[in-house]
Each structure stands twice: as structure tokens, then as C-alpha cells.
Amino acid sequence: EIVMTQSPATLSVSPGERATLSCRASQSVSSNVAWYQQKPGQAPRLLIYGASTRATGIPARFSGSGSGTEFTLTISSLQSEDFAVYYCQQYNNWPPLTFGGGTKVEIK
Amino acid sequence: EVQLVESGGGLVQPGGSLRLSCAASGFTFSSYWMHWVRQAPGKGLVWVSRINSDGSSTTYADSVKGRFTISRDNAKNTLYLQMSSLRAEDTAVYYCARGGYDFLARIGGFFDDWGQGILVTVSS
């Protein structure tokens, strides 16, 4: 099973600042990583797939990068609606499909 | 607009059974793989199971294998999860999710739309 490890667990950022979230895979997953955003009481929403392709309707301030075992989600200028928990997920080698433990982006 | 609406959750005793349903609309249901993903209270996301577009192939997480059965009725645009021998650790919000496909990389396995989730509580 591929283990996905996200860091940090919590990220405190001021509105308008840049946020950088990291995700590491226990073995290479090529570029087959997706990122999701989840707000309290809501379902997750797909942001990024293929490590860097934005899903339909996702604002350009969200960008993804990386390949192999190291991946990054960057939010260029945090808006109030971006404070949430973010999960990475690998789909290169499954079953099982596996998620990281999440990074909570909170207001500083 | 894609809509996925789960139903059938609730409180069940350990060892009991429950069937979840997910009614799909707004897309050609029979063309997509579908998945169940769960989230225990205050915890992260865990993939549970997937079924291919015509229902001929299924896959399960080890934690539910032999206890849960995923199925679908393409005529009714509905996905199901039959859960039996339920345990306290199965307590979670269960989401149905549509399988996404990366046409450039020719690979699927991510989730491009999600239902609102349904709570299953296993407790005596």
C-alpha cells in the first residue's frame, strides 16, 4: 500500500498570503496525484488531478506541481473561502486508493 | 449539473446490516466507474470500494472485504453499498463519488464529483 504523508498538519496563513502544502508518497506515483478541498460539514471537492491539472471551475490561484514522490499544492493568494482542509490522493498503484492525512489551512 | 444523493444511513447495532443507496443524475451514469469513500468522525478520507461502469468488476479495501458489497443498477441510475457484519470502526460518513478519468495520462482513480455523504453509526 502506498502511504501518502502530508505536511504540515496545520498551516496558519493570513488572507492574501501564499500557502504551500506538501505531500509525499512512500514510493513513486508518477504524476497520478489528486488534491481535494473539504470545508466543515461538506463533501470534498476535486481541485487538481494529474498532479497539476486544475479541475473544471477551479480558480487559477490553485496550482499543483511535482512528480515521483514529492508534490505541492500552492494557493497563490488566500481568499476567505479557501480556509479548509486539503487532502492529496494517489491513484497510480491501486487498490487501495490512498489519501494523505490532510492539511488544515487556518486563518492566522 | 451532476448530483449524487446518498440515503439509507442511520444507527445499527454491531453485527448488523445496512444498505446505502446513491441516486445519480445530471450525467450518463452507465458510463462511469463509481466509488464509495468514508470518513470517520474527525478523521481523514478512506477509500472503501469501486465498481466499473457495467457492474462486472468490483474492488474493495481490505478492511471491508467479505463484509461489504458494491453494486449498481444502471437502469435506475443508482449505486449501492450493502454492509454486513458491521463493527464500531465502520462508523463514518459514507460518500459516493464519481470516478474521474485523465484522458491525457489514460488513467482513472480520482474522484471528480461527490455526494453530500450519509452517516452510518454502529453502536449498541
Side-chain angles (χ1 to χ4, degrees), chain A residues 32 34 36 38 41-46 49-50 53 87 89-92 94-101, chain B residues 33 35 37 39 43-47 50 59-61 95 101-102 105 107-112 114-116:
Chain A
N32 299 315
Y36 303 87
Q38 187 178 34
Q42 295 186 18
R45 177 176 70 145
L46 176 67
Y49 64 93
T53 302
Y87 294 94
Q89 178 236 332
Q90 71 81 22
Y91 52 96
N92 188 69
W94 65 285
L97 294 164
T98 51
F99 293 89
Chain B
W33 287 22
H35 300 257
V37 177
Q39 186 170 36
K43 302 296 185 182
L45 300 166
V46 177
W47 172 78
R50 73 92 191 167
T59 315
Y60 299 91
Y95 295 100
Y101 191 80
D102 183 341
I107 187 170
F110 56 95
F111 315 102
D112 64 1
W114 299 64
Q116 85 286 354

Side-chain angles (χ1 to χ4, degrees), chain B residues 38-69:
Chain B
R38 69 184 181 184
Q39 186 170 36
K43 302 296 185 182
L45 300 166
V46 177
W47 172 78
V48 172
S49 181
R50 73 92 191 167
I51 187 167
N52 70 343
S53 56
D54 66 6
S56 62
S57 173
T58 59
T59 315
Y60 299 91
D62 286 346
S63 59
V64 306
K65 202 173 294 183
R67 300 187 300 122
F68 289 13
T69 301

Side-chain angles (χ1 to χ4, degrees), chain A residues 38 40-44, chain B residues 6 9-10 20 36-48 68 81 83 88-96 114-122:
Chain A
Q38 187 178 34
Q42 295 186 18
Chain B
E6 299 94 339
L20 304 183
W36 289 97
V37 177
R38 69 184 181 184
Q39 186 170 36
K43 302 296 185 182
L45 300 166
V46 177
W47 172 78
V48 172
F68 289 13
L81 185 68
M83 304 185 293
E89 54 265 35
D90 296 318
T91 294
V93 172
Y94 284 74
Y95 295 100
C96 71
W114 299 64
Q116 85 286 354
I118 191 82
L119 178 62
V120 172
T121 304
V122 184

Side-chain angles (χ1 to χ4, degrees), chain A residues 12-23:
Chain A
S12 298
V13 185
S14 299
E17 288 189 341
R18 182 186 196 92
T20 302
L21 289 65
S22 296
C23 177

